Amino acid sequence: MFFIEKEKHKFSLSNPALLVVDVQNYFFDKTSPAYLRGSERILENIKELIEGVMGKIPIIGTLHIGGSNRMKNWWGNIVEDEWAKLMIEDYKFNHIIKKDNYDAFYKTSLEEILNSLKVDQLIITGVMTHLCCETTARSAFVRGYEVIMVEDCLWDKDEWYHYASLKNLAHGFAVISNKEEILKNF
């Protein structure tokens, strides 16, 4: 699906960080009001990717807690504390960023952390592809980071939202990759 974009925009990793966006029980627990059917498919891929890069590059997780007034008005709820538990052991992350909006850069310390680590590439995984992951990817791009979206480590409400988002990002903001292509670089 992304062959043309991959040919035009090959990547080689220089000083990346792995960003794991909102891999928490709010989206992965079947009893949650925001459970994403099929999200369990990417959980193992994300864990494998983390294991493959741990100790080699920074791993940063985001945790969505609460919600801005705009998001509360849009969705009719906020993420309560009970739904803000990571699905991956927190010791695997070098940093955990708490956010209340789609953009992991907005009113957080993410950019400061990346700058202090001299990161120039952001490898993005997590949920939802078309909301928090895409918004963060676009924000990273305009801040000067090369963005790599890991298609088999991202998920959404369904395949349509997932692939539509990746197709849009591939057209001007991000290189689309997969777990195996990333791991080959380590």
Side-chain angles (χ1 to χ4, degrees), residues 59-104:
I59 303 170
I60 302 165
T62 71
L63 193 56
H64 194 108
I65 301 175
S68 66
N69 285 336
R70 175 68 64 202
M71 289 185 73
K72 184 176 181 180
N73 290 339
W74 187 268
W75 296 107
N77 67 7
I78 60 171
V79 181
E80 303 288 343
D81 288 346
E82 71 180 282
W83 297 112
K85 294 183 179 41
L86 293 169
M87 299 298 293
I88 297 167
E89 298 87 0
D90 60 1
Y91 73 87
K92 295 188 179 201
F93 295 101
N94 299 99
H95 302 276
I96 296 174
I97 305 291
K98 293 180 180 176
K99 65 183 189 63
D100 68 356
N101 216 307
Y102 300 133
D103 186 352

Short mmCIF file of all heavy atoms in Angstrom, two decimals, residues 59-104:
data_model
loop_
_atom_site.label_atom_id
_atom_site.label_comp_id
_atom_site.label_asym_id
_atom_site.label_seq_id
_atom_site.Cartn_x
_atom_site.Cartn_y
_atom_site.Cartn_z
N ILE A 59 12.85 5.10 24.96
CA ILE A 59 11.48 4.66 24.78
C ILE A 59 10.61 5.54 25.66
O ILE A 59 10.79 5.60 26.87
CB ILE A 59 11.31 3.18 25.16
CG1 ILE A 59 12.26 2.30 24.33
CG2 ILE A 59 9.85 2.75 24.97
CD1 ILE A 59 12.34 0.87 24.79
N ILE A 60 9.67 6.21 25.01
CA ILE A 60 8.81 7.17 25.71
C ILE A 60 7.37 6.72 25.53
O ILE A 60 6.93 6.44 24.42
CB ILE A 60 9.01 8.59 25.15
CG1 ILE A 60 10.48 9.00 25.28
CG2 ILE A 60 8.08 9.59 25.85
CD1 ILE A 60 10.87 10.21 24.46
N GLY A 61 6.65 6.65 26.63
CA GLY A 61 5.24 6.30 26.57
C GLY A 61 4.38 7.51 26.88
O GLY A 61 4.81 8.41 27.60
N THR A 62 3.19 7.54 26.30
CA THR A 62 2.23 8.58 26.69
C THR A 62 1.05 7.89 27.35
O THR A 62 0.72 6.74 27.06
CB THR A 62 1.72 9.42 25.50
OG1 THR A 62 0.85 8.63 24.68
CG2 THR A 62 2.86 9.99 24.70
N LEU A 63 0.44 8.62 28.26
CA LEU A 63 -0.71 8.14 29.00
C LEU A 63 -1.76 9.23 28.95
O LEU A 63 -1.51 10.35 29.41
CB LEU A 63 -0.29 7.85 30.43
CG LEU A 63 -1.20 7.06 31.33
CD1 LEU A 63 -1.56 5.71 30.74
CD2 LEU A 63 -0.54 6.87 32.69
N HIS A 64 -2.89 8.93 28.34
CA HIS A 64 -3.95 9.93 28.25
C HIS A 64 -4.78 9.88 29.53
O HIS A 64 -5.33 8.84 29.88
CB HIS A 64 -4.84 9.66 27.04
CG HIS A 64 -5.72 10.81 26.70
ND1 HIS A 64 -5.50 11.59 25.60
CD2 HIS A 64 -6.79 11.35 27.33
CE1 HIS A 64 -6.42 12.55 25.55
NE2 HIS A 64 -7.22 12.41 26.61
N ILE A 65 -4.83 11.00 30.23
CA ILE A 65 -5.59 11.11 31.48
C ILE A 65 -6.42 12.38 31.40
O ILE A 65 -5.94 13.43 31.00
CB ILE A 65 -4.66 11.17 32.71
CG1 ILE A 65 -3.79 9.91 32.78
CG2 ILE A 65 -5.47 11.32 33.99
CD1 ILE A 65 -2.76 9.94 33.88
N GLY A 66 -7.66 12.28 31.82
CA GLY A 66 -8.53 13.45 31.79
C GLY A 66 -8.91 13.79 30.36
O GLY A 66 -9.13 12.91 29.54
N GLY A 67 -8.98 15.07 30.10
CA GLY A 67 -9.32 15.53 28.76
C GLY A 67 -9.56 17.02 28.78
O GLY A 67 -10.07 17.57 29.75
N SER A 68 -9.19 17.66 27.72
CA SER A 68 -9.43 19.10 27.60
C SER A 68 -10.93 19.34 27.51
O SER A 68 -11.71 18.43 27.21
CB SER A 68 -8.74 19.65 26.35
OG SER A 68 -9.35 19.11 25.19
N ASN A 69 -11.36 20.57 27.75
CA ASN A 69 -12.77 20.90 27.60
C ASN A 69 -13.26 20.61 26.20
O ASN A 69 -14.37 20.11 26.00
CB ASN A 69 -13.03 22.36 27.96
CG ASN A 69 -12.98 22.59 29.45
OD1 ASN A 69 -13.20 21.67 30.24
ND2 ASN A 69 -12.67 23.81 29.85
N ARG A 70 -12.44 20.92 25.20
CA ARG A 70 -12.82 20.67 23.80
C ARG A 70 -13.04 19.18 23.57
O ARG A 70 -14.02 18.78 22.95
CB ARG A 70 -11.73 21.22 22.87
CG ARG A 70 -11.93 20.92 21.41
CD ARG A 70 -13.09 21.61 20.77
NE ARG A 70 -12.92 23.05 20.78
CZ ARG A 70 -13.93 23.90 20.68
NH1 ARG A 70 -15.15 23.47 20.56
NH2 ARG A 70 -13.72 25.18 20.70
N MET A 71 -12.13 18.36 24.08
CA MET A 71 -12.28 16.91 23.90
C MET A 71 -13.49 16.39 24.67
O MET A 71 -14.23 15.53 24.18
CB MET A 71 -11.02 16.18 24.32
CG MET A 71 -9.87 16.40 23.34
SD MET A 71 -8.42 15.45 23.73
CE MET A 71 -8.96 13.82 23.25
N LYS A 72 -13.72 16.91 25.87
CA LYS A 72 -14.89 16.49 26.65
C LYS A 72 -16.18 16.84 25.91
O LYS A 72 -17.10 16.03 25.83
CB LYS A 72 -14.88 17.13 28.03
CG LYS A 72 -16.00 16.65 28.91
CD LYS A 72 -15.92 17.22 30.30
CE LYS A 72 -17.06 16.69 31.14
NZ LYS A 72 -17.03 17.21 32.49
N ASN A 73 -16.23 18.03 25.34
CA ASN A 73 -17.41 18.43 24.56
C ASN A 73 -17.58 17.55 23.33
O ASN A 73 -18.69 17.21 22.95
CB ASN A 73 -17.32 19.90 24.15
CG ASN A 73 -17.47 20.84 25.32
OD1 ASN A 73 -18.01 20.47 26.37
ND2 ASN A 73 -16.98 22.05 25.17
N TRP A 74 -16.49 17.18 22.69
CA TRP A 74 -16.55 16.38 21.47
C TRP A 74 -17.00 14.95 21.77
O TRP A 74 -17.87 14.41 21.11
CB TRP A 74 -15.18 16.37 20.78
CG TRP A 74 -15.22 15.70 19.45
CD1 TRP A 74 -14.97 14.38 19.18
CD2 TRP A 74 -15.57 16.29 18.21
NE1 TRP A 74 -15.13 14.12 17.85
CE2 TRP A 74 -15.50 15.28 17.22
CE3 TRP A 74 -15.93 17.58 17.81
CZ2 TRP A 74 -15.77 15.52 15.88
CZ3 TRP A 74 -16.19 17.80 16.48
CH2 TRP A 74 -16.11 16.79 15.53
N TRP A 75 -16.34 14.30 22.76
CA TRP A 75 -16.56 12.88 23.03
C TRP A 75 -17.60 12.63 24.13
O TRP A 75 -18.06 11.51 24.29
CB TRP A 75 -15.25 12.20 23.41
CG TRP A 75 -14.28 12.23 22.27
CD1 TRP A 75 -13.16 12.99 22.17
CD2 TRP A 75 -14.36 11.49 21.04
NE1 TRP A 75 -12.53 12.77 20.97
CE2 TRP A 75 -13.25 11.85 20.26
CE3 TRP A 75 -15.26 10.56 20.54
CZ2 TRP A 75 -13.03 11.31 19.00
CZ3 TRP A 75 -15.04 10.03 19.28
CH2 TRP A 75 -13.93 10.40 18.52
N GLY A 76 -17.93 13.65 24.90
CA GLY A 76 -18.91 13.47 25.96
C GLY A 76 -18.37 12.83 27.22
O GLY A 76 -19.11 12.50 28.13
N ASN A 77 -17.05 12.64 27.29
CA ASN A 77 -16.44 12.08 28.49
C ASN A 77 -14.96 12.45 28.54
O ASN A 77 -14.45 13.08 27.62
CB ASN A 77 -16.62 10.56 28.55
CG ASN A 77 -15.85 9.83 27.46
OD1 ASN A 77 -15.07 10.42 26.72
ND2 ASN A 77 -16.07 8.54 27.35
N ILE A 78 -14.33 12.06 29.62
CA ILE A 78 -12.89 12.20 29.76
C ILE A 78 -12.34 10.86 30.22
O ILE A 78 -13.10 9.98 30.64
CB ILE A 78 -12.49 13.33 30.75
CG1 ILE A 78 -13.06 13.06 32.14
CG2 ILE A 78 -12.95 14.68 30.23
CD1 ILE A 78 -12.55 13.99 33.21
N VAL A 79 -11.04 10.69 30.17
CA VAL A 79 -10.42 9.45 30.60
C VAL A 79 -10.23 9.51 32.11
O VAL A 79 -9.40 10.27 32.61
CB VAL A 79 -9.07 9.21 29.89
CG1 VAL A 79 -8.46 7.88 30.33
CG2 VAL A 79 -9.23 9.25 28.37
N GLU A 80 -11.04 8.74 32.81
CA GLU A 80 -10.96 8.67 34.27
C GLU A 80 -9.69 7.92 34.68
O GLU A 80 -9.15 7.11 33.92
CB GLU A 80 -12.19 7.95 34.83
CG GLU A 80 -13.51 8.58 34.44
CD GLU A 80 -13.79 9.91 35.14
OE1 GLU A 80 -13.14 10.21 36.15
OE2 GLU A 80 -14.66 10.65 34.64
N ASP A 81 -9.23 8.17 35.91
CA ASP A 81 -8.01 7.53 36.40
C ASP A 81 -8.02 6.01 36.28
O ASP A 81 -7.00 5.40 35.99
CB ASP A 81 -7.75 7.92 37.86
CG ASP A 81 -7.30 9.36 38.01
OD1 ASP A 81 -6.93 9.99 36.99
OD2 ASP A 81 -7.31 9.87 39.14
N GLU A 82 -9.16 5.38 36.48
CA GLU A 82 -9.24 3.91 36.41
C GLU A 82 -8.88 3.39 35.02
O GLU A 82 -8.52 2.22 34.88
CB GLU A 82 -10.63 3.42 36.81
CG GLU A 82 -11.70 3.74 35.78
CD GLU A 82 -13.07 3.25 36.19
OE1 GLU A 82 -13.34 2.05 36.06
OE2 GLU A 82 -13.86 4.11 36.65
N TRP A 83 -9.00 4.23 33.99
CA TRP A 83 -8.70 3.83 32.62
C TRP A 83 -7.34 4.34 32.17
O TRP A 83 -7.05 4.36 30.97
CB TRP A 83 -9.79 4.30 31.67
CG TRP A 83 -11.10 3.66 31.98
CD1 TRP A 83 -12.22 4.28 32.46
CD2 TRP A 83 -11.42 2.28 31.87
NE1 TRP A 83 -13.21 3.36 32.65
CE2 TRP A 83 -12.74 2.12 32.29
CE3 TRP A 83 -10.70 1.15 31.44
CZ2 TRP A 83 -13.38 0.88 32.30
CZ3 TRP A 83 -11.34 -0.08 31.45
CH2 TRP A 83 -12.66 -0.21 31.87
N ALA A 84 -6.50 4.74 33.09
CA ALA A 84 -5.18 5.28 32.75
C ALA A 84 -4.06 4.37 33.26
O ALA A 84 -3.11 4.81 33.88
CB ALA A 84 -5.03 6.69 33.32
N LYS A 85 -4.20 3.10 32.96
CA LYS A 85 -3.18 2.11 33.36
C LYS A 85 -2.52 1.57 32.10
O LYS A 85 -3.19 1.11 31.17
CB LYS A 85 -3.83 0.99 34.17
CG LYS A 85 -4.35 1.50 35.50
CD LYS A 85 -4.93 0.41 36.34
CE LYS A 85 -5.43 0.88 37.68
NZ LYS A 85 -6.13 2.12 37.74
N LEU A 86 -1.19 1.61 32.10
CA LEU A 86 -0.43 1.14 30.95
C LEU A 86 -0.62 -0.36 30.73
O LEU A 86 -0.74 -1.12 31.70
CB LEU A 86 1.06 1.43 31.14
CG LEU A 86 1.47 2.90 31.13
CD1 LEU A 86 2.90 3.06 31.60
CD2 LEU A 86 1.29 3.48 29.73
N MET A 87 -0.62 -0.79 29.49
CA MET A 87 -0.72 -2.20 29.14
C MET A 87 0.67 -2.83 28.98
O MET A 87 0.78 -4.01 28.69
CB MET A 87 -1.51 -2.36 27.83
CG MET A 87 -2.92 -1.85 27.89
SD MET A 87 -3.96 -2.71 29.09
CE MET A 87 -4.06 -4.34 28.38
N ILE A 88 1.69 -2.03 29.18
CA ILE A 88 3.09 -2.47 29.12
C ILE A 88 3.73 -2.01 30.41
O ILE A 88 3.49 -0.88 30.86
CB ILE A 88 3.80 -1.85 27.89
CG1 ILE A 88 3.15 -2.36 26.60
CG2 ILE A 88 5.29 -2.17 27.90
CD1 ILE A 88 3.54 -1.61 25.36
N GLU A 89 4.56 -2.85 31.01
CA GLU A 89 5.19 -2.49 32.28
C GLU A 89 5.92 -1.15 32.16
O GLU A 89 6.68 -0.94 31.23
CB GLU A 89 6.18 -3.57 32.72
CG GLU A 89 5.56 -4.92 32.97
CD GLU A 89 5.47 -5.77 31.71
OE1 GLU A 89 5.89 -5.32 30.63
OE2 GLU A 89 4.95 -6.89 31.81
N ASP A 90 5.67 -0.26 33.13
CA ASP A 90 6.23 1.09 33.02
C ASP A 90 7.75 1.13 33.14
O ASP A 90 8.37 2.09 32.73
CB ASP A 90 5.56 2.07 33.99
CG ASP A 90 5.70 1.68 35.44
OD1 ASP A 90 6.33 0.66 35.76
OD2 ASP A 90 5.16 2.42 36.27
N TYR A 91 8.38 0.08 33.68
CA TYR A 91 9.84 0.10 33.78
C TYR A 91 10.51 0.04 32.40
O TYR A 91 11.68 0.35 32.26
CB TYR A 91 10.36 -1.05 34.65
CG TYR A 91 10.27 -2.41 34.02
CD1 TYR A 91 11.30 -2.89 33.20
CD2 TYR A 91 9.17 -3.23 34.23
CE1 TYR A 91 11.21 -4.13 32.60
CE2 TYR A 91 9.09 -4.49 33.65
CZ TYR A 91 10.11 -4.92 32.84
OH TYR A 91 10.04 -6.15 32.25
N LYS A 92 9.76 -0.33 31.38
CA LYS A 92 10.33 -0.42 30.04
C LYS A 92 10.47 0.94 29.37
O LYS A 92 11.11 1.07 28.34
CB LYS A 92 9.50 -1.35 29.17
CG LYS A 92 9.54 -2.78 29.70
CD LYS A 92 8.91 -3.76 28.79
CE LYS A 92 9.03 -5.14 29.41
NZ LYS A 92 8.91 -6.20 28.49
N PHE A 93 9.84 1.95 29.96
CA PHE A 93 9.87 3.30 29.39
C PHE A 93 10.94 4.13 30.08
O PHE A 93 11.06 4.11 31.30
CB PHE A 93 8.51 3.98 29.57
CG PHE A 93 7.40 3.32 28.81
CD1 PHE A 93 6.50 2.48 29.46
CD2 PHE A 93 7.25 3.51 27.45
CE1 PHE A 93 5.48 1.86 28.77
CE2 PHE A 93 6.23 2.89 26.75
CZ PHE A 93 5.35 2.06 27.41
N ASN A 94 11.69 4.89 29.29
CA ASN A 94 12.63 5.86 29.87
C ASN A 94 11.89 7.05 30.44
O ASN A 94 12.32 7.66 31.41
CB ASN A 94 13.64 6.32 28.82
CG ASN A 94 14.46 5.18 28.28
OD1 ASN A 94 14.18 4.66 27.22
ND2 ASN A 94 15.46 4.75 29.02
N HIS A 95 10.77 7.38 29.81
CA HIS A 95 9.93 8.51 30.24
C HIS A 95 8.48 8.16 29.96
O HIS A 95 8.18 7.50 28.96
CB HIS A 95 10.28 9.80 29.48
CG HIS A 95 11.70 10.22 29.62
ND1 HIS A 95 12.15 10.95 30.69
CD2 HIS A 95 12.77 10.00 28.83
CE1 HIS A 95 13.43 11.17 30.55
NE2 HIS A 95 13.84 10.60 29.43
N ILE A 96 7.60 8.65 30.83
CA ILE A 96 6.16 8.54 30.60
C ILE A 96 5.60 9.95 30.65
O ILE A 96 5.79 10.68 31.62
CB ILE A 96 5.48 7.64 31.64
CG1 ILE A 96 6.01 6.21 31.51
CG2 ILE A 96 3.96 7.67 31.44
CD1 ILE A 96 5.52 5.26 32.58
N ILE A 97 4.93 10.33 29.56
CA ILE A 97 4.35 11.66 29.43
C ILE A 97 2.85 11.54 29.67
O ILE A 97 2.18 10.74 29.02
CB ILE A 97 4.57 12.22 28.00
CG1 ILE A 97 6.04 12.22 27.60
CG2 ILE A 97 3.92 13.58 27.82
CD1 ILE A 97 6.89 13.18 28.34
N LYS A 98 2.32 12.34 30.57
CA LYS A 98 0.87 12.39 30.77
C LYS A 98 0.33 13.54 29.93
O LYS A 98 0.90 14.63 29.92
CB LYS A 98 0.55 12.58 32.25
CG LYS A 98 0.95 11.37 33.06
CD LYS A 98 0.63 11.52 34.52
CE LYS A 98 1.06 10.27 35.26
NZ LYS A 98 0.87 10.39 36.68
N LYS A 99 -0.76 13.26 29.23
CA LYS A 99 -1.35 14.27 28.35
C LYS A 99 -2.87 14.22 28.48
O LYS A 99 -3.42 13.22 28.92
CB LYS A 99 -0.91 14.05 26.90
CG LYS A 99 -1.38 12.75 26.28
CD LYS A 99 -0.82 12.59 24.87
CE LYS A 99 -1.44 11.44 24.13
NZ LYS A 99 -2.87 11.53 23.88
N ASP A 100 -3.51 15.31 28.08
CA ASP A 100 -4.98 15.35 28.12
C ASP A 100 -5.56 15.80 26.78
O ASP A 100 -6.69 16.24 26.71
CB ASP A 100 -5.47 16.25 29.25
CG ASP A 100 -5.18 17.72 29.03
OD1 ASP A 100 -4.53 18.07 28.03
OD2 ASP A 100 -5.62 18.54 29.86
N ASN A 101 -4.76 15.65 25.72
CA ASN A 101 -5.16 16.08 24.39
C ASN A 101 -4.59 15.11 23.37
O ASN A 101 -3.80 14.23 23.72
CB ASN A 101 -4.63 17.50 24.15
CG ASN A 101 -5.59 18.33 23.35
OD1 ASN A 101 -6.02 17.93 22.28
ND2 ASN A 101 -5.93 19.51 23.87
N TYR A 102 -4.95 15.26 22.12
CA TYR A 102 -4.43 14.37 21.08
C TYR A 102 -2.91 14.47 20.91
O TYR A 102 -2.24 13.48 20.71
CB TYR A 102 -5.07 14.68 19.72
CG TYR A 102 -6.55 14.54 19.63
CD1 TYR A 102 -7.31 15.55 19.05
CD2 TYR A 102 -7.21 13.41 20.09
CE1 TYR A 102 -8.69 15.42 18.92
CE2 TYR A 102 -8.58 13.29 19.97
CZ TYR A 102 -9.32 14.30 19.39
OH TYR A 102 -10.67 14.18 19.27
N ASP A 103 -2.39 15.67 20.93
CA ASP A 103 -0.99 15.96 20.62
C ASP A 103 -0.10 15.70 21.84
O ASP A 103 -0.22 16.38 22.85
CB ASP A 103 -0.88 17.41 20.16
CG ASP A 103 0.50 17.80 19.68
OD1 ASP A 103 1.46 17.01 19.81
OD2 ASP A 103 0.62 18.93 19.17
N ALA A 104 0.82 14.75 21.72
CA ALA A 104 1.71 14.44 22.83
C ALA A 104 2.71 15.56 23.12
O ALA A 104 3.36 15.55 24.16
CB ALA A 104 2.46 13.14 22.55
#
